[in-house]
Amino acid sequence: MHVIETLVVSETALGSVPAQWDEARAVTSLYGEHYGTLVRLAALLVRDVATAEEVVQDSFVAMHTSWRKLRDTEKALSYLRQSVVNRSRSVLRHRVVVDRNAPMPPPLVPSAEQGAITELERSAVVSALRRLPPRQREALVLRYYGDLSEAQIASAMGISRGAVKSHTARGMSSLRTVLQLEF
Amino acid sequence: MTEPDQKFEEEIRRALCAASDLIVPAGDGLNKIRERTSRRPAALAWLLAYAINLPRQLARGGRMAASEVAATAHGYSSVGLVLASARRWPGRARHALRTPSIWVRPALATATALVLVLGVMLSIPRVRNQLSAQLASALGTSSNPGPGGEPSGAGAGGAQSSSATPWATGTATNIAGKPFLATMPPSSTQCRSQGSGGTATAHHSSETGYIPPAVGQGPSQTVGAGTNGGVAHLVGSAPLDVAAPGGMGPAPVSVTCSPSTAPAKPATSPPVTQLATTPVTSPTTTPTTTTSPTTTPTTTPTTTPTTTTSPTTTPTTTPTTTPPTQTNTSSTNNTASPDTPAASAAPTG
């Protein structure tokens, strides 16, 4: 629960990122406040901690590169979140292609990351979430883990609020069906 | 929202948070980010940052200029303040020149833009040729033969155009009752027919007006296009059409010699009035011009071949010898098309 509080508090405290900050200072500040939350968000989407970290680091680098292009630097967290969602989507798309063409054999010795993933998959909700379509999964994760509003989810996913409602409702229905079937 | 729904949502929220608590990101993320951001070449980042800011600065400058214009229109301009500050410009300029970070970036950006523009311009062959021609003419060298180069024309008659003068100097007139009558000066264009087999020559030199004979065989010949792009058509001793297709080639010339044996018929094509105005010719106009017999009946049998095709005959004299029945038309442009022959005579006599 403290994660949600952290995210919400950080969202309100984000206005403290002044516009005159340079990119290095902004990256340092945003990293200290939101890196962990964003990595967890990405991990719930891509189901891989290492990949989630790469995704978030890519997003930070992209924000650092285009810091001067940001019209409203006070919305840096929104930019970061949207970047994380988009990059997670790209990772999943790429993973689908890779799995389709050359399936990787499972490693013989489970690594620490593999252990984390296994722990993740132990949760019935998370494993049911995994079966949902990507958009529905994104909407549910942003809604119930990120505790974002519909407008924020729409901004992060790059879709309309109506589409957010639709994805959330369908995802909840599918999740309920899957969980009722399992239990 | 019903109570079971709220319970279900709470359950999902708890499960997601519990699952995310298991994830502990590595502590070296910031170092990795800094390493990746510093890996970018400094010069590239420098230029990129400037390029990113440039449109914004331009827009800001435009807005300031617009507001200044509006203020001037309303009578409370800040030009006085600007002039006052302009008195301090020499000191500022010295300071700016001593500080490279102020002027090196715009200078480099300008140089890069110039190099890019020049590269793009020089990569286009047409522009490159034009530039080289202009440079050559500016330097006083007139040895540029044009993109066409030397005409070939060997054996089958030739079409030759001089690139020194873009187009011939012939004049075309439209006389009432005669659909088309081209009057050419003696030195502009001539059409010559030799023998009955159609040995003919079409040679155009807008500088000298000399039309040397070329060896053309057969009743119908398509005279080879010279390397200057000129194309000559010769159909027996009848219509000869010489035209240079467009592009950068030299003068397009259209010469039509009507056969002396064809029956007289009213002209079927409208008179061509746009002569000597459009030097550009599309290559599709020349290969098929006046090659069909149906386009040649504009001459009468009374016309003798010597009047129309002898080397000494000029286009100006030809219409006067056989005004009503025969027309030897020389056109200095390429408005002749396969469908509308450049020369057509109506039997007015």
Side-chain angles (χ1 to χ4, degrees):
Chain A
M1 201 55 154
H2 71 280
V3 176
I4 300 173
E5 292 169 359
T6 303
L7 190 63
V8 173
V9 168
S10 303
E11 180 78 14
T12 56
L14 191 65
S16 63
V17 179
Q20 65 269 17
W21 276 15
D22 61 345
E23 53 266 33
R25 196 171 174 187
V27 163
T28 305
S29 171
L30 289 169
Y31 177 88
E33 291 184 30
H34 304 290
Y35 181 74
T37 310
L38 290 170
V39 167
R40 292 183 188 103
L41 171 68
L44 286 175
L45 294 177
V46 301
R47 307 185 308 273
D48 184 354
V49 180
T51 308
E53 286 200 61
E54 284 182 8
V55 162
V56 176
Q57 287 167 12
D58 286 345
S59 302
F60 270 96
V61 171
M63 191 194 67
H64 181 277
T65 304
S66 55
W67 179 256
R68 291 173 187 271
K69 279 194 293 187
L70 286 178
R71 291 181 181 175
D72 191 358
T73 53
E74 295 184 356
K75 291 183 178 176
L77 179 59
S78 176
Y79 176 87
L80 272 176
R81 197 187 297 125
Q82 188 171 358
S83 179
V84 165
V85 171
N86 288 336
R87 287 169 195 275
S88 301
R89 201 177 295 165
S90 299
V91 164
L92 291 177
R93 205 177 297 134
H94 179 68
R95 192 179 289 170
V96 167
V97 174
V98 169
D99 290 345
R100 188 187 305 157
N101 293 330
M104 297 283 291
L108 296 176
V109 179
S111 61
E113 299 165 3
Q114 194 69 25
I117 294 169
T118 309
E119 288 292 327
L120 262 176
E121 299 300 329
R122 275 181 192 165
S123 169
V125 174
V126 174
S127 61
L129 202 64
R130 185 182 173 183
R131 300 177 198 172
L132 296 180
R135 296 298 174 106
Q136 294 180 11
R137 184 167 58 239
E138 288 170 12
L140 289 182
V141 168
L142 289 170
R143 177 79 181 88
Y144 295 110
Y145 170 71
D147 204 18
L148 302 181
S149 66
E150 283 180 355
Q152 289 171 325
I153 296 171
S155 171
M157 293 178 66
I159 57 177
S160 65
R161 293 180 62 175
V164 169
K165 284 182 185 175
S166 171
H167 285 309
T168 306
R170 289 179 187 170
M172 286 294 286
S173 174
S174 301
L175 207 59
R176 190 193 303 268
T177 305
V178 170
L179 290 177
Q180 282 175 354
L181 284 176
E182 287 187 354
F183 301 102
Chain B
M1 187 174 288
T2 60
E3 189 174 349
D5 289 340
Q6 289 180 350
K7 279 187 178 179
F8 186 62
E9 287 182 357
E10 282 299 321
E11 188 179 345
I12 291 175
R13 192 171 277 129
R14 266 199 308 273
L16 287 177
C17 292
S20 66
D21 284 343
L22 299 172
I23 300 167
V24 180
D28 58 344
L30 188 58
N31 292 332
K32 287 182 179 176
I33 292 169
R34 283 178 177 162
E35 182 186 353
R36 290 175 61 184
T37 53
S38 63
R39 202 184 303 162
R40 202 170 44 156
L44 180 62
W46 193 49
L47 279 176
L48 275 178
Y50 184 74
I52 286 167
N53 274 340
L54 186 60
R56 196 178 299 173
Q57 288 175 353
L58 285 176
R60 191 181 304 162
R63 279 199 301 270
M64 288 175 62
S67 64
E68 183 61 31
V69 167
T72 306
H74 287 89
Y76 48 88
S77 170
S78 60
V79 175
L81 294 175
V82 172
L83 289 177
S85 67
R87 294 194 196 100
R88 297 190 292 271
W89 279 358
R92 290 183 181 177
R94 277 197 296 273
H95 169 70
L97 286 176
R98 281 196 299 266
T99 312
S101 61
I102 295 177
W103 55 268
V104 167
R105 189 180 285 188
L108 272 179
T110 308
T112 307
L114 272 177
V115 167
L116 283 176
V117 168
L118 279 177
V120 169
M121 285 179 66
L122 289 179
S123 65
I124 303 172
R126 188 166 181 158
V127 177
R128 188 171 59 233
N129 289 336
Q130 284 181 349
L131 280 177
S132 61
Q134 287 179 358
L135 279 177
S137 63
L139 293 174
T141 59
S142 60
S143 61
N144 183 16
E150 290 293 325
S152 59
Q160 185 177 8
S161 296
S162 172
S163 63
T165 304
W167 32 78
T169 56
T171 57
T173 57
N174 188 11
I175 299 174
K178 298 171 185 175
F180 177 77
L181 181 63
T183 304
M184 299 295 293
S187 63
S188 63
T189 302
Q190 290 180 353
C191 177
R192 177 181 300 171
S193 176
Q194 293 179 354
S196 60
T199 301
T201 297
H203 180 96
H204 170 239
S205 173
S206 58
E207 279 188 337
T208 62
Y210 170 62
I211 303 178
V215 182
Q217 298 293 332
S220 176
Q221 294 176 355
T222 298
V223 182
T227 52
N228 58 357
V231 175
H233 262 266
L234 181 62
V235 182
S237 58
L240 174 65
D241 191 75
V242 181
M248 300 184 63
V253 177
S254 175
V255 178
T256 300
C257 296
S258 301
S260 60
T261 57
K265 268 189 180 178
T268 57
S269 63
V272 179
T273 57
Q274 298 175 355
L275 296 177
T277 55
T278 57
V280 179
T281 306
S282 63
T284 58
T285 59
T286 52
T288 58
T289 49
T290 65
T291 55
S292 64
T294 58
T295 58
T296 60
T298 57
T299 58
T300 62
T302 60
T303 304
T304 59
T306 57
T307 59
T308 59
T309 59
S310 68
T312 58
T313 302
T314 61
T316 54
T317 58
T318 304
T320 56
T321 54
T322 59
T325 56
Q326 187 269 339
T327 300
N328 184 3
T329 305
S330 297
S331 170
T332 58
N333 72 349
N334 54 1
T335 54
S337 67
D339 297 329
T340 60
S344 62
T348 58

